[in-house]
Amino acid sequence: MEREAAELFEEFKELTASEFFRRNKQMLGFSGKIRSLTMVFHELITNSLDAAEEAGILPEIKIDLKRLDKDHYILRHTDNGPGIPERYITKVYCTMFAGSKFRNIQSRGQQGLGCSGCVLLSQMTTGKPAKVVSGYMEGDQLKGVEMTFKMDVKTNKGLILERKAVDVQSTGVSIELHFKDVSYSLSEQGAYEYIRRTIIGNPHAKITFRDPTGHKYIFNRASDIIPPLPKEVLPHPKGVTADDLIFMAKHTDKRRFRSLLTSNLSRMSAKRVNEVEKVTGIDLNKRPKDMKWDEAEEIVKTFAKMDFMAPPTSGLIPIGKEQIEKGIREILNPEFVATTTRKPKTFRGGVSFIIEAGIAYGGDSGRMVGDQRKAEIMRFANRVPLAFDQGSCAITEALKSIDWKRYGIRDLDNAPITVFVNIISTNVPYLSTGKQSVAPEPDILHEVRQATMKIARGMQKYLRSKKAAKEEAMRAKVFESLVPVIIREAAVLAEKDVPEYDTVLAKVTRRAKYEEVVQEDVVQDE
């Protein structure tokens, strides 16, 4: 028995991050053919948007997707960002989990694996290398390099196969990847829809996309305003776990745990640390690395019982109601649009978040199912479209709980409307590792409902006025067809000339309109 155990452990090898995800690619979000391709688009687009914004550049992205065979594609993704210096290229595309710092910052990134996950999927499904052309500034000189490489999953590093200097006209990165076992689709979960929604949440971006049929889509930017960069904020005592404290303890340069708490957490003064020490009986002058798990748990439990000021919200950067409206108008061209950005709130007592919402009616709002337009729910987290797992998401739950009949919508599922909701937070509470649905925290559900009902009232007023105008037009049509006949017949009976009746007719239709407006005001006052 002992020998069997020894043999077993001889076979056991420590996996690198790359090896682990090669064996468990579904944990990268790469599960299903359509979803896999959409997640590739997500990672590459997110990377390009972040890079351009950090450099103060209005993002411009070009994507070319060619089908070589059934479920076999070549994807070429090009951006106008600052580019990647040559020595960092393989680190960006071939190394998973390059950083270990605990960061509390609003981020588009979801899985944290970025482009390296795309290179790994490409290599796993086709065996083909990745090809990158990068233009970047080195001092005052514009440099260009072309590299072909593979990921060495054993070492979690890149293997350069070819490298040459090239002439480039500007900064930016172009990557070419082969994929098999993926599928392009125009469905709600497909890559095209992901781009369409990305533009609504990021109206300052321009994306040109050529699909496998050769059709070229140009999604123009609706705004020239580059959003401010979010700032890192210290986590709030009520927003941390025992695991977070242990992680901080392992990566701190502080000599005492007391100093770690005051420097790594917001709203944590020396006075509050003394309170924690008194309640828990733990010596907080000990070295951070000597902190035990059960002690960290006790500290977190004590945090939960204490009263703290609300966490700072300066690090949260919402899209903004005006920018959301621009994005919606650019893509949906609606008859009516209303947007709102709520004030910051907290969930779990210590995690700040902001809810933004928009509603569009008519035009290209909603989604076509057969020959009918049905309602469309667009869910976002930190400007990123959440394309999957809609049914289990708090945003969907909140929207479904609203009595839409009050706002002029008889049946939400069959209305020509698009409802947009974005949650901004340094710590979005996702339901699972797929990070495509938001957990039903009561504070989040309440804010989504409040934001949506506010803008739905604007839509209700618009629909009422539209209905009134339609009824007025129908009445005017009746008057315009009947009044002339009555006047002519009356003139014949009276044996008189037909009088001018245009003025009378105008007065009658205006009076009908006036009564409609008065009735509308009475209804609103009630």
Side-chain angles (χ1 to χ4, degrees):
M1 191 72 180
E2 285 182 13
R3 196 173 74 186
E4 285 179 12
E7 287 173 0
L8 216 114
F9 277 96
E10 274 179 28
E11 292 297 314
F12 180 82
K13 295 176 182 176
E14 186 179 346
L15 297 178
T16 64
S18 305
E19 281 184 294
F20 175 80
F21 285 110
R22 183 179 67 81
R23 299 184 187 187
N24 301 278
K25 68 185 176 95
Q26 73 280 357
M27 293 190 73
L28 296 173
F30 299 133
S31 57
K33 294 182 178 181
I34 293 174
R35 184 169 186 154
S36 292
L37 187 60
T38 301
M39 292 310 294
V40 167
F41 273 56
H42 157 72
E43 295 293 357
L44 296 176
I45 290 172
T46 294
N47 195 62
S48 291
L49 293 176
D50 285 344
E53 288 168 12
E54 285 176 18
I57 299 169
L58 279 167
E60 188 162 338
I61 299 168
K62 294 178 182 176
I63 305 169
D64 192 356
L65 185 66
K66 288 183 180 176
R67 182 185 280 115
L68 296 185
D69 200 355
K70 186 187 177 186
D71 297 342
H72 183 187
Y73 299 84
I74 294 180
L75 174 66
R76 183 179 291 109
H77 177 104
T78 305
D79 67 38
N80 68 333
I84 304 171
E86 182 179 342
R87 64 185 179 278
Y88 293 114
I89 290 176
T90 55
K91 189 166 186 177
V92 169
Y93 291 106
C94 299
T95 302
M96 291 189 167
F97 301 125
S100 62
K101 189 182 175 194
F102 184 94
R103 301 194 77 205
N104 195 52
I105 191 168
Q106 174 188 326
S107 167
R108 281 195 185 90
Q110 289 171 307
Q111 302 295 351
L113 299 167
C115 302
S116 53
C118 302
V119 172
L120 179 60
L121 181 70
S122 169
Q123 194 168 306
M124 284 167 52
T125 57
T126 69
K128 302 277 188 185
K131 181 179 175 183
V132 165
V133 176
S134 177
Y136 60 95
M137 297 300 295
E138 195 171 88
D140 296 330
Q141 189 178 1
L142 176 62
K143 288 198 166 186
V145 65
E146 180 182 300
M147 293 175 67
T148 304
F149 52 84
K150 280 191 169 185
M151 178 187 289
D152 183 347
V153 294
K154 295 287 184 187
T155 62
N156 198 26
K157 292 180 180 178
L159 292 171
I160 299 172
L161 306 178
E162 291 180 30
R163 179 266 171 209
K164 64 179 179 181
V166 291
D167 290 329
V168 290
Q169 301 303 311
S170 61
T171 63
V173 175
S174 178
I175 182 168
E176 184 176 290
L177 296 167
H178 285 249
F179 293 99
K180 282 186 179 178
D181 299 323
V182 300
S183 182
Y184 174 73
S185 167
L186 288 170
S187 70
E188 266 197 290
Q189 289 78 37
Y192 167 82
E193 184 61 27
Y194 182 88
I195 295 174
R196 175 174 168 263
R197 295 188 180 192
T198 294
I199 290 294
I200 292 180
N202 300 270
H204 61 294
K206 177 181 179 181
I207 300 180
T208 303
F209 172 52
R210 191 181 295 277
D211 73 7
T213 68
H215 188 90
K216 187 177 182 181
Y217 300 93
I218 300 175
F219 298 90
N220 287 309
R221 67 172 53 91
S223 169
D224 290 330
I225 299 173
I226 301 172
L229 294 177
K231 296 172 184 174
E232 187 169 358
V233 293
L234 295 176
H236 192 270
K238 292 202 174 186
V240 294
T241 64
D243 184 56
D244 292 335
L245 291 183
I246 295 294
F247 185 92
M248 291 176 190
K250 285 181 179 177
H251 296 89
T252 187
D253 56 358
K254 301 298 178 185
R255 295 182 179 181
R256 297 189 297 171
F257 199 81
R258 171 186 296 275
S259 303
L260 180 147
L261 291 178
T262 54
S263 60
N264 286 55
L265 299 179
S266 65
R267 313 307 191 196
M268 182 57 70
S269 63
K271 182 181 176 183
R272 305 319 298 271
V273 173
N274 290 338
E275 287 178 41
V276 172
E277 190 170 50
K278 186 176 179 181
V279 172
T280 61
I282 299 169
D283 178 13
L284 297 181
N285 287 317
K286 66 165 66 183
R287 293 182 302 174
K289 67 178 184 179
D290 292 335
M291 180 61 62
K292 296 182 176 63
W293 179 272
D294 57 344
E295 292 176 324
E297 276 189 319
E298 193 61 36
I299 291 170
V300 169
K301 285 178 186 175
T302 304
F303 286 162
K305 296 172 186 174
M306 297 171 68
D307 290 325
F308 292 96
M309 285 177 63
T313 57
S314 57
L316 300 182
I317 307 295
I319 302 169
K321 56 182 291 186
E322 293 83 8
Q323 299 301 97
I324 295 171
E325 180 174 339
K326 286 179 181 178
I328 287 175
R329 288 195 183 281
E330 177 66 33
I331 298 298
L332 301 179
N333 190 29
E335 291 176 28
F336 169 84
V337 61
T339 58
T340 186
T341 295
R342 301 278 290 176
K343 291 180 179 178
K345 301 287 182 181
T346 61
F347 67 90
R348 295 178 190 167
V351 182
S352 298
F353 73 99
I354 295 172
I355 292 294
E356 304 185 276
I359 196 163
Y361 177 91
D364 296 326
S365 304
R367 56 192 173 89
M368 288 300 294
V369 179
D371 58 353
Q372 185 182 359
R373 283 205 173 270
K374 292 182 175 286
E376 174 181 50
I377 294 173
M378 292 188 176
R379 301 169 300 121
F380 288 71
N382 291 333
R383 296 176 174 261
V384 173
L386 304 178
F388 302 93
D389 308 332
Q390 178 170 302
S392 59
C393 185
I395 293 173
T396 307
E397 184 181 328
L399 296 180
K400 295 281 188 182
S401 72
I402 292 171
D403 181 8
W404 287 94
K405 292 187 182 71
R406 291 179 56 189
Y407 306 105
I409 301 295
R410 291 182 184 177
D411 178 9
L412 176 62
D413 291 333
N414 295 300
I417 65 172
T418 292
V419 184
F420 166 102
V421 177
N422 179 42
I423 177 170
I424 295 285
S425 181
T426 58
N427 185 10
V428 177
Y430 294 110
L431 265 178
S432 64
T433 54
K435 296 191 174 181
Q436 289 290 304
S437 58
V438 179
E441 296 285 341
D443 296 307
I444 293 176
L445 288 169
H446 176 75
E447 276 297 294
V448 173
R449 279 176 53 85
Q450 291 301 311
T452 309
M453 288 190 293
K454 178 183 178 181
I455 54 178
R457 286 193 287 273
M459 179 183 67
Q460 176 194 34
K461 190 173 181 181
Y462 169 76
L463 292 176
R464 276 182 179 170
S465 63
K466 185 180 178 183
K467 183 181 178 184
K470 185 178 180 182
E471 289 175 354
E472 156 63 14
M474 290 175 66
R475 268 197 300 275
K477 196 172 182 182
V478 170
F479 283 127
E480 285 167 5
S481 58
L482 291 181
V483 169
V485 174
I486 292 169
I487 291 175
R488 282 198 298 269
E489 291 299 321
V492 170
L493 289 173
E495 297 180 349
K496 290 187 177 181
D497 293 336
V498 178
E500 277 291 326
Y501 54 79
D502 290 347
T503 307
V504 174
L505 188 59
K507 282 182 180 179
V508 171
T509 53
R510 275 202 302 271
R511 177 67 188 168
K513 178 65 178 173
Y514 170 75
E515 288 174 355
E516 182 67 43
V517 171
V518 170
Q519 182 61 30
E520 173 80 11
D521 290 340
V522 169
V523 170
Q524 287 181 356
D525 289 342
E526 290 175 349

